[in-house]
Amino acid sequence: MKAAIIGASSEALHTIEKAHEYGLTVVALDGNPHAEGLAVADKALVVDISDEKATIEAVNAENVDFVLTVPIGRYLTTIGAVNDALGLQGIGKEMARLCTDKYAFHSKLQEKGLRSCRCYEADAITGALKAGTCGGANMPNIEISYPAILKPRYGSGSRGIYMVENAGQLRDALQAVAGESYVLEECVAGEEYGVDGAVIDGNFHMVLLRHKENTPPPARQAVAYFSVQPDDAFAINVREYMKKIVAHLELSECLIHADIIKGEEGPFVIELSARPSGHNLHNLFTPLCTGVDMAAEYIKYRTGENYCFTPDVTKGMMIHYFDIQGRVLHVPDEEEIRRLLAKAEAADDTCELICWNCTIEEGEELDSVSDGHSLMGRGYFVLEGTSEELLRKKAEEIKKLFHTQK
């Protein structure tokens, strides 16, 4: 069997590896001739994936059996267009549009009361807010509670986000993003979580719920994730909430990830996309916690083998990225970390180092974390422990082993 992968960045490497393990031939497409996934695919096609027609023609010529999704942003819609045009199973273009257009996503979910905040389409060229009779270049009193978030309408990630406290700040922010498509929505207070899951035959399967540790607003970049047990009360609520969202968006035959807030009124979805999570989550952290490799299980499903998206056990784990600032004077090695963790004061104070991947070098200048791109290249570490509180404590002890000068 033959599979296509549209968008062949380094985030595609894991899925390509799993496809090869299960005997698939992989055709990878990307507009960047140096994309890492192209180098390991069986056939590499340099195609501008923003061009739906060209991508459809290229995939059609390869006579593939299905498309495998990998972490990708706005051009998830191209994957949907390919599936529609070639009659392949998986997400369609309308599904992909709802996942990548934040205003369309909000409007669709608001129909069923699944997203309870006010959201406006922001025209950054004129500085007008378009929402019925509200809006206008002079920024009249729009119906919104501050603080509010102004963020790019299309794609995903934490770049270009503004938190505004009043109409004056909003006016300034709109001027700063003039010429780009943005949405403005009310902030929903609460702790943030991430969901890894799959939709098979119309049924939602939650593989893992992850509790996030974020930088302060407005970036709110995740610097750590903690696994949540599936029988946790909030995890149960999220599972039921996600089932309703999946049904209303008519998602099917896909892997998904979502960002969720634990609000006063229950779960609130920030964003959702019909593709696996990036940042070493779907390919590393989720399999370590649950034993479920989502890419592998989806390939099994597509090739007619037995598959399972329900974990037998969910381990208590944390993945932490290096949110360190300043000039680095000392970088601890793995052995130094293991010695630190061996100094447990009691049996319930024990943590185990599962992974250590640090690319930081002594003498390096590290800026503050503003988005995923400024963080992910530094590496990560994974710990296993009995509680989130313990994992947080040990992570802080590990970060203190880095000597920095500001």
Side-chain angles (χ1 to χ4, degrees), residues 45 75 103 125 141 144 176 205 214-215 224 231 247 271 280 299 315 335:
L45 300 176
Y75 297 114
Y103 187 70
I125 297 175
N141 295 324
I144 196 163
H205 306 262
N214 285 336
T215 59
D231 59 355
E271 295 180 13
N280 288 304
I299 290 167
K315 297 178 180 179
E335 185 55 36

Side-chain angles (χ1 to χ4, degrees), residues 306-383:
N306 292 330
Y307 63 91
C308 181
F309 288 101
T310 304
D312 291 328
V313 177
T314 298
K315 297 178 180 179
M317 286 188 171
M318 170 200 69
I319 184 170
H320 207 300
Y321 312 104
F322 295 108
D323 55 326
I324 298 166
Q325 298 180 45
R327 184 170 178 268
V328 181
L329 305 179
H330 172 72
V331 178
D333 59 21
E334 187 171 338
E335 185 55 36
E336 195 173 345
I337 304 303
R338 294 192 184 279
R339 287 198 302 269
L340 170 72
L341 296 177
K343 297 177 182 178
E345 297 176 0
D348 60 358
D349 193 42
T350 302
C351 261
E352 182 181 356
L353 180 65
I354 304 301
C355 293
W356 178 259
N357 182 324
C358 180
T359 64
I360 298 171
E361 297 181 355
E362 292 182 2
E364 189 172 351
E365 293 280 352
L366 298 178
D367 294 328
S368 61
V369 173
S370 58
D371 54 39
H373 293 276
S374 64
L375 184 65
M376 292 303 144
R378 302 177 184 182
Y380 56 84
F381 59 94
V382 177
L383 298 181

Side-chain angles (χ1 to χ4, degrees), residues 18-218:
K18 290 299 169 183
H20 285 155
E21 285 183 17
Y22 288 93
L24 297 179
T25 298
V26 176
V27 179
L29 300 86
D30 201 288
N32 176 10
H34 305 294
E36 293 181 48
L38 295 182
V40 297
D42 298 285
K43 188 170 184 178
L45 300 176
V46 179
V47 178
D48 179 3
I49 63 173
S50 69
D51 185 333
E52 290 182 3
K53 181 179 178 182
T55 306
I56 290 168
E57 292 175 352
V59 175
N60 186 42
E62 295 300 321
N63 193 29
V64 305
D65 295 283
F66 49 83
V67 178
L68 292 173
T69 53
V70 296
I72 190 173
R74 181 171 183 172
Y75 297 114
L76 182 70
T77 52
T78 300
I79 296 174
V82 168
N83 286 335
D84 286 347
L86 304 184
L88 301 176
Q89 285 191 317
I91 61 165
K93 185 174 179 180
E94 178 59 16
M95 294 183 213
R97 185 184 74 86
L98 292 173
C99 289
T100 55
D101 181 337
K102 296 182 182 68
Y103 187 70
F105 175 74
H106 168 81
S107 300
K108 182 70 174 177
L109 292 184
Q110 198 175 46
E111 293 174 355
K112 293 290 185 180
L114 294 170
R115 211 166 185 270
S116 55
C117 75
R118 283 171 287 203
C119 179
Y120 299 90
E121 181 183 8
D123 186 336
I125 297 175
T126 64
L129 293 177
K130 298 180 294 184
T133 60
C134 298
N138 294 321
M139 300 297 298
N141 295 324
I142 60 172
E143 294 184 10
I144 196 163
S145 297
Y146 292 98
I149 295 288
L150 184 69
K151 59 185 179 180
R153 177 171 176 171
Y154 300 102
S156 60
S158 57
R159 286 186 169 186
I161 293 178
Y162 295 79
M163 177 175 281
V164 294
E165 302 285 346
N166 51 55
Q169 289 184 9
L170 176 57
R171 186 184 302 109
D172 292 341
L174 283 169
Q175 290 175 353
V177 301
E180 300 179 56
S181 296
Y182 268 68
V183 294
L184 174 74
E185 71 178 33
E186 293 170 322
C187 287
V188 175
E191 297 180 59
E192 195 170 332
Y193 289 74
V195 175
D196 289 320
V199 184
I200 304 297
D201 293 330
N203 297 313
F204 172 70
H205 306 262
M206 189 164 78
V207 179
L208 180 65
L209 180 66
R210 300 174 265 104
H211 189 192
K212 293 187 182 185
E213 179 180 320
N214 285 336
T215 59

